[in-house]
Amino acid sequence: MLLAPLEPWSDATGTFSTYSQLERITSAAIALRRKRQLPLRRVLVIVDGPPGITGPQARYPALPALLQAIPADPARPLQITLLLDDMIRADEQATAAAWQALLSAHGIPSSRRDLPFEKGAMELRFAL
């Protein structure tokens, strides 16, 4: 378990309070790059926080941080699955739409599936 306090994070869409995650994602990405020769190259990212009271689209930074940390490698792609919880909330629905727009803007095809969890969830799949 790692302590991940909230800290400001910014991109072209705005400034968000989110978990201090970039260092951990970058470290994990480096490890994944070393293991790309393995036959199974799948990554599951579960996004279930920060809480909605943190601010609008508090979970949005998870995908841009991931895209920053793991550059695309068409020769040895990683299959990424992002799981976003609490889709009954309008804010998470906006985050999901923003993620799909971001992937599209980067020319990364994706597929979305809504899941019937207690508070709703969304699975977003793409390759890097």
Side-chain angles (χ1 to χ4, degrees), residues 61-83:
L63 179 59
L66 186 68
L67 294 177
Q68 225 177 335
I70 305 176
D73 183 351
R76 294 178 294 175
L78 291 172
Q79 302 301 317
I80 311 287
T81 300
L82 269 167
L83 185 65

Side-chain angles (χ1 to χ4, degrees), residues 21-107:
Q21 58 189 324
L22 290 177
E23 289 179 27
R24 276 183 297 293
I25 291 173
T26 302
S27 297
I30 290 167
L32 285 170
R33 281 190 212 114
R34 290 186 192 128
K35 295 181 181 183
R36 281 194 186 221
Q37 69 276 9
L38 298 176
L40 187 61
R41 294 176 299 274
R42 297 189 186 275
V43 177
L44 172 64
V45 179
I46 300 172
V47 183
D48 188 17
I53 62 168
T54 304
Q57 293 191 31
R59 298 175 183 186
Y60 170 79
L63 179 59
L66 186 68
L67 294 177
Q68 225 177 335
I70 305 176
D73 183 351
R76 294 178 294 175
L78 291 172
Q79 302 301 317
I80 311 287
T81 300
L82 269 167
L83 185 65
L84 178 60
D85 195 22
D86 302 323
M87 285 293 291
I88 61 169
R89 299 193 308 222
D91 202 51
E92 273 59 40
Q93 294 169 22
T95 295
W99 283 354
Q100 289 178 283
L102 181 63
L103 289 171
S104 180
H106 280 86

Side-chain angles (χ1 to χ4, degrees), residues 94-122:
T95 295
W99 283 354
Q100 289 178 283
L102 181 63
L103 289 171
S104 180
H106 280 86
I108 301 171
S110 65
S111 65
R112 173 183 169 164
R113 181 169 67 128
D114 293 322
L115 303 170
F117 290 8
E118 180 184 358
K119 296 187 214 170
M122 184 268 311

